Amino acid sequence: MAKRVAVIGAGSSGLTSIKCCLDEGLEPVCFESSDDIGGLWKFKEQPEADRCSIYRSVIVNTSKEMMCYSDFPMPDHFPNYVNNSTLLQYIRLYAGHFNLLKHIHFQTTVRSVRQRPDFSNSGQWEVVTVDRDGREETHVFDGVLVCAGHYTQPIKPLSDFPGIDTFPGTIIHSWEYKDSDPYLGKRVVVVGIGNSGGDIAVELSRVCEKTFLSTRKGAWVIGRVVDRGLPLDMMMMTRARDLFYWLLPRALLNLIFERILNQRYDHKLYGLQPVHRILDHHIVINDDLPGRILLGDLAMKSNVQKFQGSMVFFNDGTVEEKIDAVILCTGYDYKFPFLPTSLSSGSDGDLKLYRRIFPPSLERPTLAILGLFQTKGAIMPAVELQARWASRVIAGLNHLPPAEKMVKSIEKDVQANLKSYPSPKLAALQVDHIPYIDSIAKEVGVRPNIAWLLLKDPAVGLRVFFGPCSPYQFRLNGPGHWSGARQAILTQWDRVAKPMNTRSIPEPSSFGLISWLGLSGGAALIFALMAMQIIPLFLNSD
């Protein structure tokens, strides 16, 4: 009999977990508290407690070729950077293509996940659920995959701002923000310059009387489009570049990258200059932020010091009056109240996870938490690799190292990130994109062998090494091999071009070009010959 696995959540992580379980001969049973799939990417007019929430205009920061599932490319006519509704459409196509919906119990909430009394031998879990009618049921599972998302608990640091209780306007978190309509003609302060803060500030600056973006540390800002108008991540996230960066001193790389960005616009002049070096923290991806500053509709400000009625005082001594609203883009915490408290460590509820997946404290590795990490690359293909590994571990096809070794690995990763992220909980979440996904792919047995590929299939090998590190690379060989992976790699740039080929532009006439070159070359020859004849005449005239 196949092992039964509980999948908690039917968002982008939960759906790929269902498929990975099926691929390994497991029987997945997915519990989704809402009435639809999509998780984070399903827009709703009103935020719902303990669920992810997005604003109407959300557009992803990773391109379609880099963020798709490894065996299911996005349709070639989809734009390179999709909005939330288009991404939700893709997720539904994926679920339909692999027939995943039949494994999902909608409007069913997981109340608790607890080890059975014989867990040390069986590795089994008791999962208590409540359905839409309030009926409670207890299930027994051989494994659990937690795919509940971690953008559900907004952080509102109101105590950091003295006098906030005297402010007469509205104060919300970006989790509650939906669109700019309520802010027409108003003066608004946005606190926090992450990707959400940048997006919301830009959107507000188009309708507000004035928008102020307050930041403690500043940020390096880059657009989605780079050289020749190509997607940022497809040009930057390559194995060749990663190797090159590894060989050069980090200080030199910081100087090079900061110089490149400052040539586009001087971050100090624009009030964006951060206190950290460019490689020490996440950059902000925003196409319009510098332009809105240049137009004067958006003003950069230092950290908020205090409130006094509708006046906002900033750390640099400046004051802005008649502020109507404040939007806090101050991040999220994560909580999984249905999990055993024994999995958490410390008062902050931190979860120690080996490779950001497995709790090392468990006697049997039959529970995995997916998607609980932060990376500078695309999340979805990384989570898919996590699910491929986790399902194989639960199926008994892969094995984890001893607990002591896993704990040491976790501590090493945290220490490496503490310089850039002083909070241990935040430091633990950070992963270096290509090395991380390669490490998971190695465990699954699907990391591409570059040297072998260059010898056996140079066309693909060159693209895998020098081209974008797209998800299809992890379906070329090994468990879960997909016969379409090679072709997907060879045609990935065609899918980039497809949605932009909306206007027919005739190629320049080769005859005209050759004729022009011929005429210009002939003219040059004639002038040269004339010069050769005329110059001696001048020389002999004396």
Side-chain angles (χ1 to χ4, degrees), residues 385-412:
L385 277 167
Q386 287 186 329
R388 292 173 72 179
W389 185 25
S391 58
R392 289 181 62 80
V393 169
I394 292 173
L397 300 171
N398 286 89
H399 303 281
L400 300 183
E404 298 80 10
K405 187 173 181 180
M406 289 192 283
V407 170
K408 287 182 180 179
S409 175
I410 294 169
E411 292 173 350
K412 180 181 177 181

Side-chain angles (χ1 to χ4, degrees), residues 311-325:
M311 294 189 298
V312 180
F313 294 74
F314 298 91
N315 281 349
D316 59 5
T318 60
V319 182
E320 295 298 339
E321 300 181 347
K322 299 180 181 179
I323 299 301
D324 299 294

Side-chain angles (χ1 to χ4, degrees), residues 125-141:
W125 299 84
E126 284 187 356
V127 177
V128 178
T129 62
V130 179
D131 67 14
R132 69 191 73 185
D133 299 318
R135 288 191 298 264
E136 188 173 283
E137 188 175 355
T138 300
H139 316 259
V140 176
F141 289 101

Side-chain angles (χ1 to χ4, degrees), residues 35-56:
D35 59 358
D36 198 1
I37 63 173
L40 169 66
W41 302 109
K42 185 173 176 59
F43 173 79
K44 290 190 176 183
E45 294 287 349
Q46 295 294 329
E48 299 176 0
D50 298 321
R51 289 185 184 169
C52 299
S53 177
I54 57 171
Y55 40 96
R56 193 186 307 276

Side-chain angles (χ1 to χ4, degrees), residues 147-215:
C147 310
H150 64 283
Y151 295 107
T152 58
Q153 308 294 326
I155 297 174
K156 293 185 177 181
L158 298 180
S159 61
D160 292 351
F161 307 121
I164 191 81
D165 55 322
T166 69
F167 180 66
T170 60
I171 303 174
I172 67 168
H173 190 275
S174 57
W175 179 80
E176 303 166 80
Y177 176 86
K178 293 301 174 181
D179 55 45
S180 62
D181 291 352
Y183 305 96
L184 179 64
K186 295 185 176 181
R187 292 167 60 82
V188 180
V189 173
V190 178
V191 179
I193 196 176
N195 285 319
S196 294
D199 284 348
I200 291 172
V202 164
E203 183 167 277
L204 290 174
S205 72
R206 295 190 170 97
V207 302
C208 289
E209 177 188 320
K210 189 75 174 185
T211 304
F212 304 96
L213 179 54
S214 167
T215 173

Side-chain angles (χ1 to χ4, degrees), residues 88-134:
L88 183 60
Q89 182 184 347
Y90 168 71
I91 290 171
R92 286 174 173 156
L93 289 172
Y94 176 80
H97 180 77
F98 293 108
N99 198 21
L100 305 179
L101 295 180
K102 67 180 182 180
H103 301 282
I104 304 172
H105 296 262
F106 291 104
Q107 293 185 309
T108 303
T109 302
V110 173
R111 282 283 175 85
S112 69
V113 175
R114 297 290 182 267
Q115 294 142 298
R116 298 198 77 201
D118 63 344
F119 179 81
S120 59
N121 292 319
S122 68
Q124 291 183 326
W125 299 84
E126 284 187 356
V127 177
V128 178
T129 62
V130 179
D131 67 14
R132 69 191 73 185
D133 299 318

